[in-house]
Amino acid sequence: MEILPEDLIVEIFLRLPPKSLVRFRGFLFLNLNYGNQSVIWNPVTCVVQQIPPNPFWFGPIFYGFGYDAATDDYLIVLAIVSNEYNVSVRGIHVEIFSVRTNSWNKLNCNFPYIAPLDPHCSDEAAGSLLDGALHWLVFRLGRATIIAFDLTERNFRRVPMPDDIRNRTCYLKLKVLGGFLSLIAENDGYQHEIWVMREYGVKSSWARNITLCLPGFNPAFVSPICFTKDGEVIVVYRAGILVRCDDKGQVIEEFCLPDLHVFGAAKADASVYTESLFALPNGHGKIHTSKPFTSRDQLPHRQKQGSFFSALNLHSFILINTVTIMTYFAEELLLNIFLRLPVKSLLRFKSVSKLWHSLISDPHFANSHFQRSPFLSDRLLHIADSQVRSIDFHSSLSAVLHLNCPIIPPPPSLQIWGSCKGFVVVHNTDYFFVWNPSTGSYKQLTSFPMPSLSVPFIHGFGYDVSNDDYLLVLAARELRYAQFFSIKANSWKEIEGSTNFSYCNAVIESSIGSFLNGAIHWLVFGPHATTTDHVVLAFDVTERNFHEIPLGDNIKWIFGFSYFGIIGGCLGLCEFGAFTANIWLMKEYGVKSSWTKSFVVSLDNFTSPANYFCPIDLTQSGEIVGSDGITGYLRLNDKGEVLERRTYSNHWCKAVTYTETLLSLPCSNEEVGDSQH
């Protein structure tokens, strides 16, 4: 896998919380030959720093490697059986190596614990890093105990265990899985329960997450290393056998890593690391063009025979099979990073590698990104003068991208018919296109069944979550006609009861419906078509029927309504008067009494050729963005004062907001185009 590009690293750091930045350091601590040969290694940059041997080394009880954010220092922590002055008198003390000072120091503390259950088992002796502390499972007075070493405070503390686990006499292991402190407890020989601490430090938050069923597996050699994005568990067994279990704990795949037999290792442990470009803080690291140890002959003599530390068994898996193991857990890490990035960056990074292209192009990832990403951005799509522009109105009305439309060049007759979940419907004479302006993908719809477009009608576009389908809805009172087009079925269908359809559009500028809460909405006149007979008409895309939503009693028809749609995530309309534009928002969906006059814009505050204002949406900072009706756009503060004006054309334009997404349509014949030019 390629080294991460610098601009990606910068974007990641700008978006990750401090705790994650501390965690994602990307170094490995390799200990060989009884601690007489130790290195810290960044597998991505190949930087290696050799660690001076500890002068009092006899054999570690346990060890760990972590990062102290307060001092920007990497620490190696060892609990050692010492023979400092007299080989016949041994005691347990703690030694800490500071990478910044390049020296070992003894920690003065009372350490009343004994070794793990099996001191030769490296995954029990290795500390698990979480929340700025290293954690071990140790034993005191015959009972299991979790201790944590705070890397900043340099002291030990206990972490509570579930009583059900602590009182058992079975194989126990401590890991960090899925970002949680986790215990693995053997049960009945072949079952392995994974318990997770959902809230760090809270005893009552321990819960059994999953039970692995591994018949025929020696529990001493079973070591879960991570959860996948789908809730599966990756387990390392003996010398390089990877086992994948589903979220029910059943084995679904076994894979033997190649070449581990060369070293004759009885057991191989995995260490999950993160690719990074970090350098060590003291500048002592040297760049090696290859792995620190690439052949058996380069390993120390005692290492070939095995050692107290089991260093070969611990690290041969990492040293020789980095690429193989990364195929299992790098995807999970990358996906977590990608979920934090905006669509624009993800589209650029599809060209980094085949793996990145595959991950970002996956429809499941696109859905997750749409639902979970904190950086989804609404933009304004503007069509005029045979040009299609995308405006980032949250930052500036001048922040413009020029897009490629499915119809090139866009004809003057091109119309916008709706927007939903990042897709925009455009219409040109006899053709409809459902288009994702972010990715450039589109689908041409089948022939249009409405007898005539010369009569007034309403239209809109929405998403049916229960059927994973997109619907285009058209209706006309004069024709007593209402139909919808299903993207998934690729066909038109008449809406039940449409022969009684008796509504017509009540908005001056647009007949486009707005999608919110599973329905498409229009502001319409009712059957009597009077200025007092106006309501919100909603089409439920799941139930496939129409219903009415009342307007507030104080909303009056004066000179008309210049806008109806979604403003700041609420249903909203603009009541147009002689000197003001009153913007009303429905603060609580479906509740008549929640209609609130939220903004009053004085038309005297700006010069408009038509003395007109049509709101479009609110920016992230609460400013109002709207159109002057003819030439361009305005950005106003909450008092209606003009902050910015931008002109893009000399005549009437078409515009709609859309969300930047990676989503694709639920159909097999979607065309791929270029999004920008």
Side-chain angles (χ1 to χ4, degrees):
M1 184 171 169
E2 293 87 345
I3 294 177
L4 303 181
E6 182 177 351
D7 52 357
L8 173 58
I9 292 289
V10 172
E11 291 207 39
I12 293 171
F13 289 173
L14 289 174
R15 289 167 170 80
L16 291 180
K19 183 168 69 174
S20 296
L21 288 172
V22 170
R23 175 169 169 249
F24 297 157
R25 306 304 290 190
F27 291 100
L28 297 176
F29 168 51
L30 312 184
N31 193 355
L32 307 170
N33 193 20
Y34 284 91
N36 291 326
Q37 187 175 5
S38 304
V39 297
I40 296 175
W41 174 41
N42 184 329
V44 176
T45 63
C46 297
V47 171
V48 175
Q49 176 174 338
Q50 188 165 348
I51 305 303
N54 188 287
F56 309 122
W57 191 287
F58 180 81
I61 299 299
F62 54 73
Y63 58 95
F65 179 53
Y67 177 71
D68 176 9
T71 60
D72 185 27
D73 197 3
Y74 293 86
L75 303 179
I76 300 170
V77 180
L78 303 176
I80 301 172
V81 177
S82 170
N83 61 344
E84 182 172 352
Y85 299 109
N86 189 331
V87 294
S88 63
V89 179
R90 293 175 179 168
I92 299 176
H93 72 267
V94 178
E95 293 276 340
I96 298 177
F97 177 81
S98 163
V99 170
R100 181 171 288 279
T101 63
N102 197 40
S103 62
W104 288 95
N105 291 283
K106 182 177 179 179
L107 180 67
N108 295 319
C109 67
N110 180 22
F111 191 78
Y113 301 100
I114 64 172
L117 184 64
D118 181 4
H120 296 273
C121 184
S122 55
D123 66 336
E124 295 180 19
S128 298
L129 180 63
L130 181 68
D131 282 353
L134 292 166
H135 301 76
W136 297 272
L137 184 66
V138 297
F139 292 85
R140 184 184 186 188
L141 303 177
R143 301 184 71 188
T145 301
I146 298 175
I147 60 169
F149 180 76
D150 190 303
L151 294 166
T152 299
E153 300 296 331
R154 311 287 170 93
N155 57 26
F156 287 90
R157 64 176 185 268
R158 290 190 187 186
V159 178
M161 289 183 62
D163 293 333
D164 182 69
I165 296 294
R166 190 179 186 190
N167 297 326
R168 292 188 190 181
T169 55
C170 62
Y171 281 100
L172 291 177
K173 295 180 181 179
L174 182 70
K175 298 281 187 179
V176 172
L177 302 175
F180 298 104
L181 202 61
S182 304
L183 282 166
I184 297 90
E186 173 261 335
N187 185 12
D188 294 333
Y190 69 91
Q191 291 186 336
H192 298 78
E193 299 175 357
I194 298 179
W195 291 65
V196 298
M197 186 181 240
R198 294 293 182 185
E199 186 175 353
Y200 181 78
V202 178
K203 182 177 180 179
S204 60
S205 71
W206 281 104
R208 183 166 53 192
N209 181 268
I210 189 174
T211 299
L212 305 178
C213 298
L214 302 172
F217 286 66
N218 188 328
F221 300 109
V222 172
S223 180
I225 59 170
C226 66
F227 290 119
T228 70
K229 62 181 180 180
D230 298 321
E232 300 170 346
V233 184
I234 304 299
V235 178
V236 176
Y237 180 69
R238 287 190 177 273
I241 297 176
L242 287 179
V243 182
R244 185 163 61 96
C245 299
D246 61 22
D247 56 3
K248 303 295 189 301
Q250 302 297 318
V251 176
I252 55 178
E253 183 182 6
E254 292 185 31
F255 177 73
C256 183
L257 293 170
D259 299 329
L260 282 180
H261 65 278
V262 173
F263 290 90
K267 186 176 185 298
D269 296 325
S271 178
V272 177
Y273 74 95
T274 303
E275 292 194 318
S276 80
L277 301 178
F278 281 113
L280 293 170
N282 58 11
H284 293 169
K286 297 181 180 179
I287 297 178
H288 289 242
T289 58
S290 60
K291 300 164 185 173
F293 302 100
T294 56
S295 70
R296 184 181 178 92
D297 294 336
Q298 290 178 279
L299 295 173
H301 174 72
R302 295 187 66 178
Q303 189 60 46
K304 301 176 189 177
Q305 301 173 351
S307 72
F308 178 85
F309 203 139
S310 300
L312 169 63
N313 297 344
L314 171 64
H315 295 294
S316 61
F317 180 78
I318 298 171
L319 292 172
I320 298 172
N321 295 284
T322 300
V323 175
T324 306
I325 187 62
M326 282 298 292
T327 63
Y328 284 87
F329 67 80
E331 290 186 17
E332 179 182 5
L333 172 63
L334 284 173
L335 289 173
N336 285 330
I337 293 173
F338 290 163
L339 287 174
R340 302 172 185 270
L341 298 179
V343 170
K344 179 181 177 181
S345 298
L346 292 171
L347 292 173
R348 290 175 53 215
F349 298 146
K350 288 176 71 173
S351 61
V352 169
S353 68
K354 291 182 179 179
L355 173 62
W356 287 32
H357 186 280
S358 175
L359 293 176
I360 296 171
S361 302
D362 190 324
H364 297 291
F365 170 74
N367 284 321
S368 297
H369 187 268
F370 181 79
Q371 295 168 8
R372 297 170 53 188
S373 175
F375 297 103
L376 293 180
S377 176
D378 290 333
R379 299 180 68 92
L380 179 62
L381 185 72
H382 169 97
I383 300 178
D385 302 326
S386 298
Q387 295 190 51
V388 180
R389 299 176 176 91
S390 176
I391 304 171
D392 182 8
F393 62 89
H394 293 286
S395 60
S396 171
L397 296 178
S398 299
V400 178
L401 294 175
H402 291 269
L403 303 182
N404 290 320
C405 183
I407 307 173
I408 301 176
S413 60
L414 188 67
Q415 301 289 327
I416 297 174
W417 279 50
S419 172
C420 172
K421 290 188 68 173
F423 293 99
V424 176
V425 179
V426 294
H427 173 249
N428 178 42
T429 313
D430 298 324
Y431 298 102
F432 287 94
F433 293 88
V434 181
W435 171 42
N436 185 331
S438 301
T439 64
S441 63
Y442 64 91
K443 172 183 171 63
Q444 181 177 333
L445 307 190
T446 58
S447 59
F448 180 53
M450 182 174 276
S452 173
L453 289 178
S454 62
V455 299
F457 59 93
I458 58 175
H459 47 80
F461 187 59
Y463 176 68
D464 176 6
V465 65
S466 64
N467 297 300
D468 186 27
D469 196 6
Y470 292 84
L471 304 184
L472 174 62
V473 179
L474 306 175
R477 181 172 65 178
E478 282 75 2
L479 300 175
R480 299 291 178 178
Y481 173 98
Q483 288 200 4
F484 68 84
F485 181 87
S486 164
I487 294 292
K488 182 172 283 188
N490 197 37
S491 64
W492 293 89
K493 184 176 181 180
E494 185 176 351
I495 298 172
E496 186 176 350
S498 64
T499 54
N500 298 318
F501 188 81
S502 56
Y503 300 93
C504 65
N505 180 42
V507 180
I508 296 172
E509 183 169 327
S510 174
S511 56
I512 299 176
S514 297
F515 182 74
L516 180 70
N517 280 16
I520 307 171
H521 304 78
W522 301 265
L523 183 62
V524 298
F525 291 121
H528 302 98
T530 66
T531 57
T532 59
D533 183 29
H534 45 264
V535 297
V536 175
L537 179 67
F539 178 78
D540 189 307
V541 295
T542 299
E543 300 297 329
R544 314 288 168 88
N545 58 29
F546 290 99
H547 64 275
E548 295 182 359
I549 298 176
L551 290 178
D553 293 332
N554 294 325
I555 300 176
K556 305 297 182 182
W557 172 280
I558 305 175
F559 290 94
F561 298 108
S562 67
Y563 174 84
F564 174 81
I566 310 301
I567 302 178
C570 301
L571 286 180
L573 62 85
C574 184
E575 182 185 64
F576 193 54
F579 305 103
T580 62
N582 303 321
I583 300 174
W584 292 77
L585 301 181
M586 191 181 214
K587 297 290 189 176
E588 186 175 351
Y589 180 80
V591 178
K592 179 179 179 179
S593 60
S594 71
W595 281 102
T596 305
K597 185 187 291 187
S598 301
F599 304 95
V600 176
V601 178
S602 173
L603 300 180
D604 294 333
N605 287 344
F606 51 89
T607 302
S608 170
N611 198 33
Y612 179 86
F613 180 74
C614 174
I616 294 174
D617 206 343
L618 301 182
T619 68
Q620 294 167 349
S621 56
E623 298 162 346
I624 311 166
V625 172
S627 167
D628 63 12
I630 296 182
T631 61
Y633 302 104
L634 304 166
R635 185 165 57 90
L636 315 177
N637 61 20
D638 57 1
K639 297 180 177 60
E641 299 168 338
V642 177
L643 302 176
E644 183 182 9
R645 176 190 289 272
R646 187 70 165 85
T647 299
Y648 286 104
S649 63
N650 296 319
H651 54 81
W652 196 273
C653 61
K654 303 97 176 179
V656 71
T657 59
Y658 72 97
T659 304
E660 284 191 303
T661 74
L662 298 169
L663 295 174
S664 56
L665 293 171
C667 58
S668 58
N669 57 344
E670 190 175 20
E671 300 290 335
V672 177
D674 294 328
S675 59
Q676 301 177 26
H677 64 80

